[in-house]
Amino acid sequence: MEDENGQLTSFRVPTLEAALTWSKGKALLTVDIKRSVPFEKIIEEVRSTDSEGHAALITYTFPAAKKLHSMAPDLMLSITIRNEEEIKRLEETGIPWTRVIAFTGLAERPREFNQALHQRGVFTILGVLGNLDQSAVSRGDQIYASFVQNGADILATDRPIEAAEAIKTMTPSQSSKSKYFIK
């Protein structure tokens, strides 16, 4: 594998099995399923590594989410939900909100929209990759705190160290989601 300067390194991309095994007790993962990979293989790997409690499967369409849920109703799904229409479409699938993490897209959503998802007991993921990360570079890393204050629970970022530093003082002392916070 090459580094960002094109220099050969001894690093190797881990297998899905290795990543799932490594992450236990350290990280929650969202598993991106590529089109050429059958859902069954991913579900089998998650189950064989006992990773059901810390791996959510990313879906890109409501039919895919419905199929994955029917195959593995015990697994969490990351489903794109960016507006009220998509909330309704999710509800039509029959997938319970208890199995959903909402990916709200690559643009910040209104606080009221995030609150509507929170009222359903759902965590939200804001993709700050690209434009929003670049805004942080140009305007300051405190912008990450504003995303969280606006209702983003999880930030998908290319700048995890800077984002974590910007939000580290925001962990509430009392929260229904406290069990997920690193102390």
Side-chain angles (χ1 to χ4, degrees):
M1 176 182 245
E2 292 180 2
D3 66 16
E4 60 189 34
N5 298 318
Q7 299 296 314
L8 215 50
T9 71
S10 61
F11 295 106
R12 299 287 175 249
V13 175
T15 63
L16 177 59
E17 177 185 14
L20 290 168
T21 301
W22 169 87
S23 68
K24 286 184 186 176
K26 298 177 187 155
L28 299 175
L29 301 180
T30 50
V31 179
D32 195 354
I33 305 172
K34 299 304 179 191
R35 292 178 201 221
S36 62
V37 179
F39 290 163
E40 294 84 358
K41 285 191 174 196
I42 301 300
I43 293 168
E44 179 182 320
E45 200 68 55
V46 168
R47 289 194 169 136
S48 71
T49 57
D50 295 320
S51 299
E52 296 91 339
H54 64 275
L57 307 180
I58 297 174
T59 62
Y60 291 99
T61 66
F62 288 104
K66 191 171 181 176
K67 180 177 180 183
L68 269 169
H69 180 70
S70 71
M71 295 170 70
D74 55 320
L75 296 182
M76 291 297 292
L77 302 176
S78 172
I79 302 173
T80 301
I81 304 174
R82 299 164 294 196
N83 53 49
E84 293 292 332
E85 178 189 332
E86 289 177 344
I87 287 176
K88 289 177 186 161
R89 289 184 63 201
L90 185 276
E91 289 174 341
E92 291 169 359
T93 69
I95 299 169
W97 286 106
T98 57
R99 306 285 13 128
V100 174
I101 300 171
F103 178 76
T104 60
L106 299 173
E108 192 171 16
R109 301 293 165 218
R111 181 185 304 261
E112 297 75 27
F113 179 74
N114 289 327
Q115 288 173 339
L117 291 169
H118 291 152
Q119 288 169 354
R120 290 168 168 85
V122 175
F123 277 116
T124 62
I125 302 173
L126 174 62
V128 297
L129 312 147
N131 287 340
L132 296 178
D133 268 342
Q134 288 308 310
S135 291
V137 169
S138 63
R139 295 183 10 214
D141 291 340
Q142 74 281 356
I143 195 170
Y144 294 117
S146 72
F147 298 145
V148 173
Q149 290 165 340
N150 197 36
D153 298 305
I154 302 165
L155 302 176
T157 178
D158 286 330
R159 303 180 70 237
I161 294 169
E162 295 85 354
E165 184 65 27
I167 66 171
K168 74 179 181 182
T169 62
M170 299 180 70
T171 304
S173 59
Q174 296 293 318
S175 169
S176 62
K177 297 175 175 66
S178 290
K179 64 183 175 182
Y180 301 106
F181 299 143
I182 297 172
K183 305 256 183 216

